[in-house]
Amino acid sequence: MAVQPALTEEQVAPLFSLLQDPEEEVRIEALQALVHLPLTTASWRRLGDYLLVMLDTTAGNTGGIAPANHRSGDAAPGISEEAAANLPPLPRPELIDAAIYAPLPAVRAHLRRLAGSDNVEDRWLAARALARAGDRSALPVLLEALR
């Protein structure tokens, strides 16, 4: 199977803009499309920044999980704290399910932290997503659920 070339920033810009659409279903579909497309490194970083901000801000009570370590003092590089505060929310299950496809260590690390959180819903959603990706860090949560 041939590797597809990464889509240009210009090609994926419309999908990134849909992440701020007023309709929740449109935001979900745009995110699901983005995580399954061949993106440039810059686009993956941009999407990773978005995912980390959303994972931090939509958590509500994250059960003691500290916000993700971003690469700068802002909410995330390229996303100001003000802009992050104004991002429309996404449902937690869809957000976590999409985040597992991001090939970014910071996003995967955040999902692992969620799998160890005190928030039962986040812990289960993250463990389920990690298990689908073959990540062994999901095992303790999955084994606990079997008991």
Side-chain angles (χ1 to χ4, degrees):
M1 185 160 116
V3 176
Q4 293 183 342
L7 298 173
T8 66
E9 302 289 321
E10 187 175 274
Q11 290 171 312
V12 296
L15 285 171
F16 274 102
S17 68
L18 289 175
L19 293 175
Q20 297 191 35
D21 193 90
E23 294 294 323
E24 183 176 90
E25 191 60 34
V26 172
R27 294 191 307 274
I28 292 168
E29 293 295 327
L31 178 59
Q32 289 174 347
L34 282 166
V35 299
H36 289 94
L37 289 172
L39 302 178
T40 63
T41 301
S43 290
W44 274 120
R45 284 186 185 135
R46 180 178 176 195
L47 185 57
D49 293 343
Y50 171 82
L51 289 167
L52 290 170
V53 167
M54 296 306 290
L55 287 166
D56 284 345
T57 59
T58 63
N61 177 12
T62 59
I65 296 299
N69 292 326
H70 302 296
R71 293 182 299 264
S72 77
D74 290 341
I79 302 175
S80 69
E81 289 182 34
E82 181 181 337
N86 293 320
L87 286 172
L90 282 170
R92 208 71 179 144
E94 287 84 350
L95 178 61
I96 290 172
D97 282 348
I100 198 64
Y101 292 101
L104 303 164
V107 173
R108 184 63 62 95
H110 194 75
L111 292 173
R112 288 181 184 130
R113 284 193 299 276
L114 288 177
S117 77
D118 294 334
N119 181 306
V120 176
E121 181 183 8
D122 275 358
R123 186 171 62 240
W124 176 247
L125 290 170
R128 196 180 79 193
L130 289 164
R132 278 196 321 275
D135 190 312
R136 291 179 177 262
S137 65
L139 285 174
V141 176
L142 298 174
L143 291 173
E144 179 185 319
L146 291 174
R147 292 183 187 149

